């Protein structure tokens, strides 16, 4: 992969990482506010609980994505970014553009999910 391309992907990954960090902070604040306002009647509390579950799920997804992004950034550092970690082939740039933090090529991804 060209150095200029690599730089572009690095910028995309860093931006995405920052976005997750920011949104996690926002969610956490929202959560804390919710704790403070938890004095409604029973119905309100039930819907609050649902919202908490949704937030937990979002946070877990973010954490997973965050690990993938961190791993991709370290592959950029050690020069293995863009190579499939399963078969060693180059991952197509089109795929990297769609999912910049991916570590496997489309063929291996399909094998994995099959
Ligand atoms: Zn592969």
């Amino acid at each position: 992969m060209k150095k200029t391309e690599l730089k572009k992907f690095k910028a995309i990954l860093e931006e995405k990482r920052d976005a997750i960090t920011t949104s996690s902070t926002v969610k956490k604040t929202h959560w804390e506010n919710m704790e403070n306002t938890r004095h409604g009647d029973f119905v309100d509390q039930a819907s609050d609980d649902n919202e908490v579950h949704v937030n937990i799920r979002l946070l877990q997804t973010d954490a997973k994505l965050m690990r993938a992004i961190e791993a991709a950034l370290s592959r950029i550092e050690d020069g293995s970014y863009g190579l499939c970690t399963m078969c060693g082939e180059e991952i197509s740039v089109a795929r990297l553009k769609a999912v910049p933090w991916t570590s496997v090529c489309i063929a291996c991804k399909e094998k994995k999910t099959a």
Side-chain angles (χ1 to χ4, degrees), residues 17-84:
R17 184 185 58 186
D18 291 349
I20 293 173
T21 312
T22 312
S23 74
S24 300
T25 315
V26 171
K27 267 179 227 149
K28 196 167 164 260
T29 312
H30 175 64
W31 211 339
E32 276 160 8
N33 287 342
M34 233 154 56
E35 288 298 319
N36 294 337
T37 54
R38 201 175 264 262
H39 299 295
D41 64 25
F42 189 72
V43 178
D44 275 350
Q45 276 203 359
S47 66
D48 275 356
D49 284 344
N50 278 334
E51 206 173 330
V52 169
H53 285 305
V54 170
N55 277 337
I56 291 172
R57 218 167 40 221
L58 283 174
L59 287 172
Q60 280 171 343
T61 311
D62 283 355
K64 223 173 131 186
L65 188 56
M66 196 67 158
R67 273 200 300 273
I69 290 171
E70 293 287 354
L73 283 168
S74 68
R75 284 198 304 278
I76 287 178
E77 292 305 317
D78 69 24
S80 66
Y81 181 76
L83 297 177
C84 174

Side-chain angles (χ1 to χ4, degrees), residues 84-91 103-109 111:
C84 174
T85 54
M86 283 176 78
C87 69
E89 293 288 323
E90 274 188 32
I91 303 170
S103 63
V104 292
C105 70
I106 192 79
C108 291
K109 159 99 188 182
K111 250 184 271 167

Side-chain angles (χ1 to χ4, degrees), residues 4-17:
T4 47
E5 266 179 336
L6 207 58
K7 246 183 167 169
K8 238 186 280 172
F9 281 118
K10 191 180 176 191
I12 293 168
L13 286 162
E14 282 173 342
E15 202 180 293
K16 181 78 188 166
R17 184 185 58 186

